[in-house]
Amino acid sequence: MSRNHLASQLLFDLSRPGRRGVHFPAADTPETPLENLLPRSALAESPPPLPELAEPDVVRHFTNLSTLNMSVDTHFYPLGSCTMKYNPKRNERLASLPGMLHVHPYQPDDTIQGLLRLLYDLQAMLAEISGLPGVSLQPAAGAHGELTALMVAAAYFRDRGDKRTVVLTPDSAHGTNPASAAMAGFDAVTVKSNGQGLVDMTDLEAKLNERVAVFMITNPNTLGLFDPQVGQIAGLVHGAGGLIYLDGANMNAILGKTRPGDFGADMMHFNPHKTFSGPHGGGGPGAGPICVGERLAPFLPTPIVAKDGERYRLDFDRPHSIGRVRSFFGNVGVLVRAYAYIRTFGPGGLREVAENAVLNANYLRSKVRHFLAVPHGARCMHEFVASAGKLKKETGVAAMDLAKRLLDFGFHAPTVYFPLTVPEAMMIEPTETESKETLDVFAETLFRITGESPELLHEAPHSTPISRPNEVQAAKQPRMKWTAS
Ligand SMILES: *Cc1c(COP(=O)(O)O)cnc(C)c1O
């Protein structure tokens, strides 16, 4: 049976009445009817229609399903903005050490000195990499880091009696930026990009006033371009009494090269699951540690890890803090992986990570631009955005068609239709962990696909168990209940 066929069957389809994975021995105590234990009204009329299977059926079903996933371990995964780099397995082993894995969040500080030291040192490393001294490891994802930092900013302005209600985001920003601004209670206002894909300074100046709390910038931005105006932007925003937030999703491009704190940022988040090789993509746990400048540090979430002499402890005594944003201490397992990654590379190694990420992206860009336009910039940082706009006009083939067809050739699709400022956008980020050979085969494949017939491409992918699912239906009309057909 083919893998695709196996995967198209539900456990319910494989079910056979009476088949069992486990046989319990006969009870050696008298049986009590359920009716004697629970009121009738609490009892179902019939048992739930659960599938009945032997253990190997279940194991094979889930193992086969797992092989249908694309992952960094199985495929090249050039998903722009998301930095799907290879995750060293060593980090998994370290995060699974008993002293990391079996710690209880309510354990007294004195019994977890090693773990606290690790987290304390990670705070210091992130402060060093960002150039911003105040660190909270608590937020559970990048978007959560954005929200937390904006709450910190709100507390800072409240403390000063400064009423500011607006957060500015560029039109190329990730959707989480304006969403976080709205969730933190601000009005999100968009600033236009100019013809080069950078912040339009005239539009920024027009929208900057004493009501602006924060300007959120992604640098390098989502087009893979470093905005050289960032110092000037920070000067303007600070001059108007506002703060600069740096969306750190693209830190992979600048690790050890430049520091957000040095180019004017007052606060930022890291995505350890992107930059520091935490596994991600399946919706599993990430983390979104934030770093802030001195004047914002008192407002950071509680607790932070502190050190008194030789003793590490969780510091809850922080009167200006916005409080907790996550239960216990955040997603510590992800933070352990980030720590292991940073320690493995060291400062020189991290700089090389950034250099190779930028080199790989420029190499791939120089190949792709021969057959797909790359509208912005003469060179890129860690990623670039190609446009299938011309192809769409001439043949009707869209960026989505190319992306879907790549799956047939064993490549995960790049990010498509983001940023919104580029028509038929394909945002390609190879990362530093890919070889020249992989990049060559990918570029050749993408080139070949652009010459294929529109009919074939509109129907792609052809080799996957399902081809084109409705991409919003599962979210908008979830069917949570299985019914026998
Ligand atoms: C991934 C990403 C985010 C959000 O990070 P999550 O960890 O997914 O919440 C924000 N901004 C940019 C530019 C991103 O790529």
Side-chain angles (χ1 to χ4, degrees):
M1 229 183 292
S2 77
R3 273 166 57 225
N4 284 354
H5 179 71
L6 279 171
S8 69
Q9 289 195 306
L10 302 177
L11 283 180
F12 292 98
D13 302 325
L14 302 171
S15 174
R16 293 293 175 272
R19 193 159 292 168
R20 289 283 176 272
V22 179
H23 293 272
F24 294 108
D28 56 2
T29 52
E31 279 188 31
T32 310
L34 265 182
E35 293 76 10
N36 297 359
L37 299 169
L38 287 170
R40 262 232 109 77
S41 60
L43 296 176
E45 277 160 26
S46 56
L50 295 176
E52 299 176 75
L53 300 139
E55 185 170 324
D57 298 334
V58 177
V59 170
R60 282 179 200 149
H61 179 75
F62 286 109
T63 305
N64 284 321
L65 276 186
S66 76
T67 65
L68 296 173
N69 274 346
M70 285 206 152
S71 70
V72 180
D73 285 0
T74 53
H75 299 87
F76 178 45
Y77 208 131
L79 198 64
S81 209
C82 293
T83 314
M84 303 296 287
K85 62 167 82 175
Y86 174 73
N87 312 313
K89 295 298 161 269
R90 182 172 169 277
N91 299 350
E92 297 301 311
R93 214 175 66 230
L94 297 174
S96 309
L97 290 173
M100 313 289 178
L101 198 59
H102 300 311
V103 166
H104 190 280
Y106 283 144
Q107 243 171 275
D109 291 355
D110 285 330
T111 66
I112 51 167
Q113 285 293 298
L115 183 56
L116 288 179
R117 176 181 166 186
L118 182 153
L119 295 172
Y120 182 85
D121 289 347
L122 180 62
Q123 287 177 176
M125 291 172 193
L126 296 182
E128 173 67 26
I129 294 169
S130 65
L132 294 164
V135 182
S136 169
L137 301 175
Q138 233 180 76
H144 195 207
E146 294 170 21
L147 174 66
T148 305
L150 290 174
M151 288 162 64
V152 165
Y156 164 78
F157 286 119
R158 212 178 302 123
D159 186 60
R160 294 161 57 96
D162 192 349
K163 198 158 167 40
R164 292 178 181 254
T165 53
V166 172
V167 166
L168 301 178
T169 61
D171 55 7
S172 60
H174 196 266
T176 52
N177 290 189
S180 298
M183 276 196 78
F186 292 101
D187 297 323
V189 174
T190 305
V191 174
K192 282 204 250 353
S193 297
N194 64 21
Q196 286 104 55
L198 307 172
V199 173
D200 183 330
M201 295 301 281
T202 315
D203 198 42
L204 171 62
E205 284 183 66
K207 285 167 180 165
L208 199 55
N209 54 42
E210 73 291 342
R211 290 195 301 111
V212 171
V214 179
F215 179 65
M216 299 179 85
I217 186 168
T218 312
N219 204 20
N221 67 16
T222 59
L223 291 164
L225 304 175
F226 191 87
D227 196 328
Q229 311 167 118
V230 68
Q232 199 189 339
I233 292 169
L236 279 173
V237 173
H238 289 152
L243 299 169
I244 296 283
Y245 182 86
L246 181 103
D247 179 328
N250 294 341
M251 282 302 287
N252 211 43
I254 58 172
L255 286 174
K257 288 291 189 184
T258 181
R259 308 194 306 170
D262 296 344
F263 60 68
D266 301 289
M267 41 189 186
M268 69 166 291
H269 76 261
F270 282 95
N271 301 69
H273 45 292
K274 297 178 182 174
T275 313
F276 302 129
S277 88
H280 66 128
I290 57 171
C291 301
V292 302
E294 207 86 66
R295 60 190 165 141
L296 295 166
F299 305 96
L300 285 174
T302 291
I304 57 171
V305 186
K307 186 182 182 192
D308 301 325
E310 288 308 302
R311 185 175 171 272
Y312 299 88
R313 65 183 172 86
L314 290 176
D315 182 6
F316 289 89
D317 183 19
R318 311 184 58 253
H320 293 285
S321 168
I322 60 166
R324 234 184 224 296
V325 296
R326 176 69 170 73
S327 54
F328 305 126
F329 199 70
N331 289 331
V332 170
V334 181
L335 300 171
V336 173
R337 290 172 178 87
Y339 172 89
Y341 183 84
I342 295 171
R343 283 293 305 270
T344 303
F345 279 96
L350 289 185
R351 200 170 302 128
E352 253 179 79
V353 163
E355 285 167 358
N356 287 328
V358 172
L359 180 65
N360 270 1
N362 277 286
Y363 178 74
L364 195 50
R365 180 186 180 281
S366 73
K367 297 206 138 194
V368 170
R369 62 183 277 273
H370 291 297
F371 55 90
L372 285 177
V374 180
H376 295 292
R379 268 188 286 162
C380 64
M381 297 293 284
H382 62 300
E383 67 193 3
F384 63 94
V385 179
S387 169
K390 186 158 170 276
L391 193 68
K392 174 89 187 287
K393 226 173 263 156
E394 291 172 359
T395 67
V397 168
M400 185 61 83
D401 298 327
L402 301 180
K404 294 286 187 190
R405 182 65 173 145
L406 278 168
L407 304 178
D408 284 333
F409 292 94
F411 293 108
H412 194 283
T415 299
V416 287
Y417 300 102
F418 173 65
L420 306 173
T421 47
V422 173
E424 298 298 321
M426 302 187 81
M427 181 197 257
I428 301 173
E429 177 177 8
T431 83
E432 72 284 1
T433 57
E434 297 303 324
S435 68
K436 177 176 174 297
E437 289 73 20
T438 301
L439 304 184
D440 286 339
V441 178
F442 175 77
E444 264 162 49
T445 307
L446 187 56
F447 172 64
R448 258 181 50 201
I449 290 174
T450 55
E452 288 186 315
S453 82
E455 293 72 36
L456 180 91
L457 293 174
H458 292 323
E459 300 288 310
H462 300 276
S463 63
T464 53
I466 49 168
S467 183
R468 298 233 181 174
N470 182 323
E471 289 179 4
V472 292
Q473 195 177 4
K476 301 280 179 195
Q477 299 168 298
R479 245 183 64 199
M480 309 301 283
K481 208 169 169 179
W482 179 83
T483 41
S485 47

